[in-house]
Amino acid sequence: MPNANLSLQILPMVPQEQVYGVVDKVISLIQQSGLKHIVGPLETSIEGDLTELLDLVKKAQDICVAAGANRIVSVIKIDYSPDGVSIDEKISKYSK
């Protein structure tokens, strides 16, 4: 079982009309990682090994810089347990 859940909200400082395009590139990175994730309206939650998740955050920052952001604000929440945590244990009772 993965040992962490990480939620990432990334706010690249680019012109307003470019924000969604940059965020789409970050979401694509997360999708291509193969990690379980849920895209929400304000953040994306990802499940995996903590080191791998933190590396993904770094890559997300790099995507923003490559897209022209001279500053990036990231809001990160981490739920970690050596015994493992999962997205499903948190939300399965709310799924249809």
Side-chain angles (χ1 to χ4, degrees):
M1 172 183 283
N3 59 3
N5 292 163
L6 182 144
S7 289
L8 173 63
Q9 179 186 39
I10 197 155
L11 306 165
M13 298 297 141
V14 294
Q16 183 65 37
E17 64 275 3
Q18 295 176 15
V19 171
Y20 286 146
V22 177
V23 170
D24 286 344
K25 289 178 183 180
V26 171
I27 291 171
S28 180
L29 167 76
I30 294 166
Q31 291 171 329
Q32 292 173 14
S33 75
L35 295 172
K36 180 175 181 132
H37 63 280
I38 297 174
V39 177
L42 297 175
E43 65 187 11
T44 299
S45 296
I46 316 155
E47 182 176 287
D49 172 76
L50 183 58
T51 301
E52 187 174 13
L53 294 172
L54 293 173
D55 186 49
L56 201 59
V57 171
K58 170 68 172 98
K59 290 176 182 174
Q61 301 285 326
D62 292 343
I63 284 173
C64 294
V65 170
N70 61 358
R71 189 172 190 168
I72 304 108
V73 175
S74 296
V75 179
I76 300 166
K77 294 181 263 183
I78 298 171
D79 180 4
Y80 170 84
S81 171
D83 296 328
V85 296
S86 74
I87 291 173
D88 288 339
E89 72 185 356
K90 294 175 182 69
I91 64 169
S92 63
K93 67 182 177 183
Y94 304 109
S95 300
K96 294 181 182 178

